[in-house]
Amino acid sequence: MSSVMSCILERRSIRAYTSEEVSKDDVMLLLNAANWAPSGNNMQPWRFSVVMNNRELIKKLSSLTVYHKWVKNAPCLIAVFLDTESLDDKFPSIYLKHSQSIGAAIQNMLLAAQELGLGTCWIGEILKNEDKVRELLEVSEDLQLMAVVSVGYPSGSDLKSKRRDISENIVSWL
Ligand SMILES: Cc1cc2nc3c(=O)[nH]c(=O)nc-3n(C[C@H](O)[C@H](O)[C@H](O)COP(=O)(O)O)c2cc1C
């Protein structure tokens, strides 16, 4: 099986981490993987904010989600933003395309992490506190929070997720 396919099939959301720090080089690799995602008109609407080697800030960010018990232990958090300056009132559908592009960027990051032996979890629940996240990360109001991704070395296994059989999700094949 190709390494891409095994990363896709073996990746699971990881919500428990060892205390081992993630290297800056590995974080750069994840960001670069995200940066090479496809995007509508190659507009690359994603922006990133990284928090690592900063337990105090990670704790403050974790307090903004109901998942604080495990998020606070993540060695690294990567906030992913959509640059709203790249939107255009004349083309409201651009928002949809940018959201999809950012989803692709995040998934690239999760798969690259899987290849490095790093565990990740895509955290959407924190979006309700977008303003507070922006404030803690000192980023512009032009950036809309799309997700926070926790990154760290997996501690134990958390591999319970399942999928419906693909045959249930194919609605037509003509
Ligand atoms: C848009 C999005 C938002 C998510 N938000 C959260 C979240 O806030 N907390 C969490 O623990 N997992 C979150 N997840 C992870 C999903 O729960 C997880 O991907 C799903 O249950 C399938 O499990 P798996 O990733 O292990 O295959 C999110 C995933 C996506 C794509």
Side-chain angles (χ1 to χ4, degrees), residues 50-82:
V50 177
V51 183
M52 59 189 291
N53 300 312
N54 192 338
R55 299 276 13 122
E56 197 185 331
L57 186 50
I58 286 173
K59 197 167 173 209
K60 281 185 189 158
L61 286 164
S62 69
S63 73
L64 301 177
T65 160
V66 292
Y67 301 112
H68 57 92
K69 280 198 185 121
W70 57 265
V71 176
K72 74 174 183 334
N73 299 324
C76 174
L77 295 177
I78 302 177
V80 185
F81 297 94
L82 183 158

Side-chain angles (χ1 to χ4, degrees), residues 47 60-68 70-71 77-82 95 99 102-103 106 121-135 137 139 143-150:
R47 301 290 180 269
K60 281 185 189 158
L61 286 164
S62 69
S63 73
L64 301 177
T65 160
V66 292
Y67 301 112
H68 57 92
W70 57 265
V71 176
L77 295 177
I78 302 177
V80 185
F81 297 94
L82 183 158
Y95 182 77
S99 308
I102 287 177
I106 296 172
C121 190
W122 180 328
I123 304 162
E125 197 276 335
I126 198 169
L127 295 180
K128 63 184 184 195
N129 281 318
E130 165 178 31
D131 291 346
K132 288 178 186 150
V133 172
R134 252 199 315 258
E135 199 181 314
L137 297 177
V139 301
L143 301 184
Q144 182 186 359
L145 183 66
M146 301 299 280
V148 171
V149 176
S150 54

Side-chain angles (χ1 to χ4, degrees), residues 14-75:
I14 298 296
R15 302 178 177 89
Y17 310 98
T18 69
S19 56
E20 184 176 348
E21 292 295 344
V22 179
S23 76
K24 194 173 170 191
D25 284 352
D26 282 354
V27 172
M28 278 309 293
L29 195 146
L30 302 188
L31 297 178
N32 212 23
N35 207 36
W36 277 94
S39 62
N41 294 102
N42 198 17
M43 284 185 74
Q44 306 160 61
W46 42 74
R47 301 290 180 269
F48 306 99
S49 174
V50 177
V51 183
M52 59 189 291
N53 300 312
N54 192 338
R55 299 276 13 122
E56 197 185 331
L57 186 50
I58 286 173
K59 197 167 173 209
K60 281 185 189 158
L61 286 164
S62 69
S63 73
L64 301 177
T65 160
V66 292
Y67 301 112
H68 57 92
K69 280 198 185 121
W70 57 265
V71 176
K72 74 174 183 334
N73 299 324

